[in-house]
Amino acid sequence: MPNGLWKIVSNHFQKSVQTAILLFVLALVSLYSAAQPAFNQLSTSDGLSHNTVMDLLQDSKGFLWLGTADGLNRYDGERFQVYRRSARDAQSLSSNEIKCLLEDRQHRLWVGTNSGGLNQLDSSGVRFRHLLRTVDGQDIAMATITDLAQDQAGGIWASTNGQGLLLIDPATRRVTQLTAAKNGLPSNFIHRICPDRAGNLWLGDQQGRVTQLRLTDYRITPVTLPAPDTAIAGSIMTIRCDSRGRLWVGTQGSGLFRSEAG
């Protein structure tokens, strides 16, 4: 092959290889970009009441509710509507520090607060009902609510920091209290709760213990997690039941535990 022709072929080959490499790199970048969701930040400059968001949920109407360290927010995709405690309004939030949120099956919003007990947003969408006492007359107006869940029978459960468990009838808002002294709970400081489809409520406390509460008779069954040192040093941070009947337990410092289905 003449040298000039060889040079032309060689240059063409090099350009083809370079083009192929460039297309390959661009394809990788495109795949990586497609796998990464695009994030937009929303903060106090956009109307959010506080930059510390403690909990969130999307309700049955599509609104996003955000519980923050200073107020409850409803986001419609464009604007935030902020709910805060007002000393001049007895039907405002009982506390601005929102710990947890729940929408029940009747589409009522329940708001658990820090040192302000439990609130229910009424049908007006602007007024809150406060749960002040249990059926036994115990004051729960200043309770810290750590988690909220609804069981299969429709009851609303609230775990607390120091006052055990609260069971609320959502229709009447009557509150029954379960405690360590009266009902044998392992602790009155319950951090996380999760109802399952078999009629149990699973409790995770701040001492790293998991407990099964049978809802038909409130029978208590302690559960031992297979930690290497036989004890969980920190709190139970989250506890969830999946669609296969398995229990998932996230801990502070001891990893994740999963039960077998059944």
Side-chain angles (χ1 to χ4, degrees):
M1 179 182 296
N3 289 338
L5 183 58
W6 173 260
K7 186 175 181 179
I8 293 172
V9 172
S10 177
N11 289 340
H12 179 73
F13 177 75
Q14 290 176 356
K15 289 180 180 179
S16 298
V17 170
Q18 291 171 351
T19 301
I21 293 173
L22 178 61
L23 291 174
F24 178 71
V25 171
L26 289 174
L28 287 178
V29 171
S30 177
L31 286 173
Y32 178 78
S33 299
Q36 298 296 311
F39 284 93
N40 294 316
Q41 184 182 20
L42 298 172
S43 66
T44 52
S45 61
D46 302 292
L48 183 66
S49 65
H50 197 277
N51 283 334
T52 299
V53 179
M54 312 292 287
D55 198 9
L56 58 86
L57 68 81
Q58 186 174 29
D59 69 16
S60 53
K61 296 179 180 178
F63 293 113
L64 189 66
W65 293 86
L66 302 99
T68 77
D70 185 24
L72 175 68
N73 298 248
R74 191 188 76 174
Y75 184 59
D76 64 6
E78 295 183 0
R79 290 177 295 275
F80 289 98
Q81 179 177 347
V82 177
Y83 301 80
R84 282 194 175 97
R85 181 181 181 274
S86 171
R88 298 185 299 273
D89 184 359
Q91 294 181 312
S92 65
L93 278 171
S94 60
S95 169
N96 286 332
E97 187 173 348
I98 311 303
K99 300 285 286 184
C100 49
L101 302 168
L102 173 73
E103 185 186 35
D104 67 23
R105 297 188 192 102
Q106 286 69 45
H107 312 305
R108 293 171 290 219
L109 183 70
W110 300 82
V111 183
T113 72
N114 183 38
S115 301
L118 185 60
N119 298 239
Q120 182 200 338
L121 183 64
D122 73 8
S123 58
S124 72
V126 295
R127 295 187 297 269
F128 292 88
R129 297 186 176 103
H130 307 148
L131 280 69
L132 304 178
R133 295 187 181 278
T134 68
V135 293
D136 297 330
Q138 295 297 313
D139 187 355
I140 56 171
M142 302 297 289
T144 291
I145 309 298
T146 57
D147 204 2
L148 290 165
Q150 186 171 27
D151 64 31
Q152 292 293 307
I156 306 296
W157 290 88
S159 57
T160 74
N161 191 7
Q163 293 186 260
L165 288 172
L166 306 176
L167 171 60
I168 303 99
D169 182 326
T172 64
R173 295 187 298 281
R174 287 170 56 88
V175 183
T176 302
Q177 184 180 32
L178 281 67
T179 65
K182 290 192 303 181
N183 307 95
L185 296 181
S187 171
N188 286 328
F189 294 80
I190 308 298
H191 199 215
R192 291 291 181 263
I193 55 176
C194 178
D196 65 21
R197 292 179 295 181
N200 303 300
L201 186 71
W202 295 89
L203 321 176
D205 66 35
Q206 294 186 1
Q207 287 73 47
R209 293 172 297 210
V210 175
T211 304
Q212 181 193 58
L213 174 66
R214 191 166 64 187
L215 298 182
T216 53
D217 57 5
Y218 298 154
R219 177 182 175 182
I220 299 288
T221 303
V223 175
T224 301
L225 297 178
D229 57 0
T230 71
I232 304 300
S235 177
I236 301 299
M237 303 303 293
T238 186
I239 184 166
R240 290 291 179 266
C241 307
D242 67 19
S243 59
R244 295 172 57 183
R246 299 178 299 184
L247 186 70
W248 296 79
V249 181
T251 70
Q252 182 182 25
S254 296
L256 178 67
F257 295 84
R258 184 194 70 191
S259 73
E260 295 303 320

